[in-house]
Amino acid sequence: MTDPGDALSSLRWLAIERASGHHTGSDRLIAAGLDALLSGVDSPSLPLLAGLGRAEEPDAPDLFAKVLEEFDLVPDLPTDRDQALWAMARWWARLIVAGNLDPLTGADLIWWRVAMELGYPEELQELVKGAINGDDWNQNWDIPLEQIKREIVEAAHAFVAQGSNVVAHSTSG
């Protein structure tokens, strides 16, 4: 079972994903609502979202927005697509650093879902390089796959350490 903090974090993640322009199906919104409710989190609209049936799926985005407001998750959400993409990259990078996301998987997500969309910004180059090396790697390479993973973790750590300066620098020009 998910703990309440993780459940709220999942709701926020879905909001960021939606703000970045990625499709987020009503089924995922409903499932996140149900998971939050089962974790002990509650708000007036959460049981309504969690209880939607297939025929009621079109109501999910509006109820999801109400749930976000009720948990006060709206004020700090990214305000435009690029900010949302940077937030996604930071999210995945933090998960890589924490050991909660495989470095190769995380670097691929950052490469395909963020860096490509943002035109391959300099701040993400080391993570993209790691993703490419991980995809191309085979047993004939002189570099062990574990070293590539370590380099990705280091790149993710450096990216996270840059913090919000990345957004201000990359979207200004």
Side-chain angles (χ1 to χ4, degrees):
M1 177 180 277
T2 304
D3 73 39
D6 286 345
L8 289 174
S9 208
S10 293
L11 291 172
R12 186 175 192 286
W13 167 253
L14 286 172
I16 291 170
E17 193 171 22
R18 292 179 74 210
S20 72
H22 290 100
H23 174 72
T24 307
S26 292
D27 59 327
R28 289 183 58 206
L29 302 178
I30 295 166
L34 181 59
D35 191 40
L37 192 62
L38 292 175
S39 75
V41 174
D42 196 15
S43 77
S45 300
L46 189 60
L48 301 173
L49 174 64
L52 290 177
R54 183 169 299 282
E56 301 161 315
E57 282 185 359
D59 297 335
D62 289 338
L63 282 170
F64 182 75
K66 287 180 183 175
V67 167
L68 293 176
E69 288 176 26
E70 291 165 359
F71 286 118
D72 200 27
L73 295 174
V74 176
D76 64 342
L77 284 178
T79 57
D80 68 26
R81 177 188 159 273
D82 285 356
Q83 287 181 355
L85 289 168
W86 283 109
M88 288 173 69
R90 283 190 303 277
W91 183 289
W92 283 320
R94 281 189 207 106
L95 290 175
I96 292 168
V97 170
N100 296 328
L101 179 61
D102 175 72
L104 295 173
T105 301
D108 267 347
L109 287 167
I110 291 169
W111 176 20
W112 289 103
R113 298 213 36 210
V114 178
M116 193 181 300
E117 294 281 330
L118 292 172
Y120 297 101
E122 181 65 32
E123 296 86 351
L124 297 176
Q125 288 302 309
E126 288 302 310
L127 287 163
V128 170
K129 176 183 161 192
I132 292 169
N133 286 341
D135 284 351
D136 290 345
W137 185 86
N138 67 55
Q139 292 180 345
N140 297 324
W141 279 32
D142 292 336
I143 301 169
L145 186 59
E146 289 307 312
Q147 180 178 336
I148 293 171
K149 288 182 177 184
R150 281 191 304 274
E151 290 171 359
I152 290 170
V153 172
E154 290 169 12
H157 189 271
F159 173 66
V160 169
Q162 291 174 343
S164 60
N165 294 336
V166 170
V167 174
H169 173 262
S170 297
T171 57
S172 64

